[in-house]
Amino acid sequence: MGEFMNMLKMIFATIVSFIICLILGSIIIPELHKLKFGQSIRNDGPKTHFKKAGTPTMGGIIFIISVVITDLIFSKWDKYMALVLLITLGFGLIGFADDFIKIYYKRSLGLNARQKLLGQFILAFVLAYFAKSFIGTDVIIPFLKRNIDLSIYYIPFVIFVIVGTVNSVNLTDGLDGLVSGVSFMVMAFFALITFFIGNTSLFIFAAAFTGGLIGFLKFNRYPAEVFMGDTGAFAIGGAISALALMTKLPVILPLVGIIFMIEALSVIIQVISFKLTGKRIFKMSPLHHHFELSGWHETKVVYVFWFVTLIAIFAAFFSVS
């Protein structure tokens, strides 16, 4: 009976967050238009993106608010909920500051790299420290189905994972519906994982995020009415990192977040290749731009990346079951 009620809670949290996001989107997007909070487009980006200039950004506040409201309705506020929300909102605030500077000064770059990384490292340390206190320093190794205690290496490892995840999500946010589609599947994965381990706070949080992202996708799919901006991408990266740590599954992130990892690697490979040889491996990085410049329509890239994520998530379930 208890599992059945928890399942209902998870389903209702997903639905309620979805509905709240739809309502908020219809209210907030027109206001973003009035405030002229439009996106600036990189001059060196694909030419097909120039028409997107002026599309409202900072839309991540829509699903962030829906998640918070849904959590207030359905969840008990324990240390787990407090931590995952603190980290999500903290990273969201860094992204918000970045977006605001871009909009205010009408430029494609906001906070500089040092400022963003400082904030990210501080939040990553906070999450690592409390995760260590709450659940210990061991992590689950997928497929092997055994735990390894990282001991003194836990906090450095976790900080690396968190900062890497947040920035990988942000790099992926370059096509309409790409990050919102990939992320709702990743969140659904963690909703089910946290449900099976019986952590009510975490599965309500993950379910609320899943519903909010599905609702946001209605406005963010091609052609997008609104972009999530760094506000949304950073918040998603923080939330995914927090869920991975609280379930002792940070090692599974390269699998469930395979698109995030590939996108980040494409940028690293491109930079290293150009510095060492003066040549570029890809027509443009991150990888989604390479496919665009190879003749793929934006929607084809997005749908293929969604499909790859879905396959990876099935593999991830197998690895931990």
Side-chain angles (χ1 to χ4, degrees), residues 42-231:
R42 289 169 48 190
N43 292 327
D44 59 344
K47 293 180 180 179
T48 55
H49 287 211
F50 291 168
K51 63 184 179 182
K52 299 183 180 186
T55 301
T57 188
M58 297 173 70
I61 58 176
I62 297 169
F63 59 77
I64 292 172
I65 294 172
S66 74
V67 169
V68 172
I69 293 174
T70 304
D71 288 337
L72 285 170
I73 295 171
F74 288 97
S75 182
K76 59 180 183 180
W77 281 69
D78 57 14
K79 61 184 182 181
Y80 298 103
M81 178 59 71
L83 181 60
V84 294
L85 267 182
L86 171 67
I87 296 303
T88 300
L89 294 175
F91 277 108
L93 282 173
I94 294 174
F96 181 88
D98 195 38
D99 285 334
F100 184 81
I101 291 171
K102 291 176 186 175
I103 293 165
Y104 187 80
Y105 290 104
K106 303 295 181 184
R107 64 193 194 196
S108 60
L109 297 175
L111 295 172
N112 63 45
R114 183 176 298 178
Q115 292 168 331
K116 282 189 279 193
L117 283 174
L118 177 61
Q120 290 171 14
F121 272 104
I122 291 171
L123 284 172
F125 177 80
V126 170
L127 177 53
Y129 177 82
F130 283 103
K132 177 182 177 182
S133 302
F134 293 173
I135 61 172
T137 57
D138 60 310
V139 298
I140 298 171
I141 306 301
F143 295 105
L144 297 180
K145 298 171 185 177
R146 57 188 293 256
N147 290 36
I148 292 181
D149 190 351
L150 297 179
S151 187
I152 61 172
Y153 302 106
Y154 181 81
I155 288 181
F157 171 75
V158 164
I159 291 174
F160 172 78
V161 169
I162 297 166
V163 174
T165 299
V166 170
N167 286 288
S168 296
V169 173
N170 196 41
L171 285 172
T172 306
D173 184 29
L175 300 180
D176 297 354
L178 178 54
V179 166
S180 47
V182 168
S183 298
F184 97 73
M185 291 185 242
V186 176
M187 287 296 182
F189 168 81
F190 281 112
L192 291 174
I193 293 296
T194 50
F195 172 78
F196 289 132
I197 66 177
N199 192 312
T200 306
S201 297
L202 294 182
F203 78 65
I204 291 297
F205 175 81
F209 232 116
T210 303
L213 286 170
I214 296 172
F216 183 73
L217 194 55
K218 191 263 183 188
F219 306 105
N220 185 234
R221 65 186 179 182
Y222 182 86
E225 299 176 49
V226 67
F227 300 140
M228 68 172 65
D230 289 357
T231 305

Side-chain angles (χ1 to χ4, degrees), residues 223-280:
E225 299 176 49
V226 67
F227 300 140
M228 68 172 65
D230 289 357
T231 305
F234 279 24
I236 290 171
I240 290 174
S241 300
L243 288 168
L245 289 188
M246 292 295 100
T247 54
K248 299 190 176 185
L249 284 170
V251 180
I252 211 167
L253 284 175
L255 181 55
V256 296
I258 188 170
I259 293 300
F260 303 142
M261 182 187 70
I262 290 172
E263 294 271 52
L265 284 175
S266 72
V267 174
I268 295 170
I269 292 169
Q270 187 87 322
V271 171
I272 292 174
S273 175
F274 187 74
K275 286 190 174 182
L276 293 180
T277 69
K279 297 180 180 179
R280 293 179 172 86

